[in-house]
Amino acid sequence: MMKLYSNSVDPFSHRCRIVLFEKGMDFEVIDVDLTNKPEDLAILSPYSDSPVLVERDLVLTDANIINEYIDERFPHPQLMPPDPVMRARARLFLKDFENQLFVHMHDLESNEKSKVDAARKVVTDVLIQISPILGKQPYLLHEEYSMLDVAIAPLLWRLDHYSIKLPSSCAPLLQYANKIFDRPLFDEAMSPAEKAMRS
């Protein structure tokens, strides 16, 4: 059985839990306190934070690598496009998300106000740019729910938590977010701490 070492408030762990629940497979989620890492995790992945996926002799770190592995290992429902060209485009989008959005996630949790303010501004600006896309199509990768939607969902869920206020021009993005949150398994993939992030 797959084991996911997951921090209960980490957005990257949240991504992996979403994929595991979407696949409807047997797995175990092990909650990890990163300030007091369990010994077995420190041995498996001494340089990594969560998430960490373990299946038999395989140990994977990095949410995108974990999620692509799960998607290939359990192909239904498929979250990466089957077409190689679309799959390559999806990977480029994910890389752009990492560089433009997710690289700022840790700063949003910082104790330094200047870091938080700078990260909040960048994330807000990027989300404003993305919003018009969702006025034209139901999901980030056209018609189908995909790994791109999985990747951005934990950030959108945490907007209130991060005190990010989007302008009215972002109505398509916020409607899209609610559609993702209404997916049957989205709620199950969250920890109690994550559920408490939105009223």
Side-chain angles (χ1 to χ4, degrees), residues 40-118:
D40 56 340
L41 179 60
I43 292 166
L44 288 168
S45 182
Y47 307 110
S48 176
D49 295 337
S50 60
V52 176
L53 184 81
V54 178
E55 186 180 32
R56 300 187 193 90
D57 296 332
L58 179 68
V59 178
L60 296 176
T61 60
D62 183 273
N64 286 337
I65 293 170
I66 291 169
N67 282 347
E68 279 213 45
Y69 170 73
I70 295 167
D71 196 49
E72 289 174 4
R73 179 106 163 66
F74 301 92
H76 302 289
Q78 194 164 27
L79 294 171
M80 286 296 280
D83 173 66
V85 172
M86 288 303 291
R87 195 161 56 245
R89 285 184 179 149
R91 287 182 177 130
L92 279 174
F93 275 124
L94 285 168
K95 184 172 173 51
D96 286 344
F97 280 174
E98 294 300 335
N99 294 337
Q100 296 175 24
L101 279 176
F102 305 128
V103 72
H104 302 287
M105 300 288 271
H106 292 298
D107 285 347
L108 287 168
E109 298 282 1
S110 172
N111 293 324
E112 294 178 43
K113 186 178 182 303
S114 60
K115 276 189 177 180
V116 173
D117 289 345

Side-chain angles (χ1 to χ4, degrees), residues 152-164:
I152 203 168
L155 168 59
L156 297 177
W157 180 259
R158 288 162 170 75
L159 290 179
D160 290 345
H161 176 70
Y162 294 144
S163 299
I164 292 174

Side-chain angles (χ1 to χ4, degrees), residues 37 44-45 49 59 62 80-81 101 103 118 120 143-146 148 156-157 166 170 189 191 194 197:
K37 260 200 234 184
L44 288 168
S45 182
D49 295 337
V59 178
D62 183 273
M80 286 296 280
L101 279 176
V103 72
R120 197 178 284 140
E143 300 298 315
E144 300 293 327
Y145 180 79
S146 75
L148 297 182
L156 297 177
W157 180 259
L166 296 177
C170 286
S191 68
E194 285 165 338
M197 288 177 177

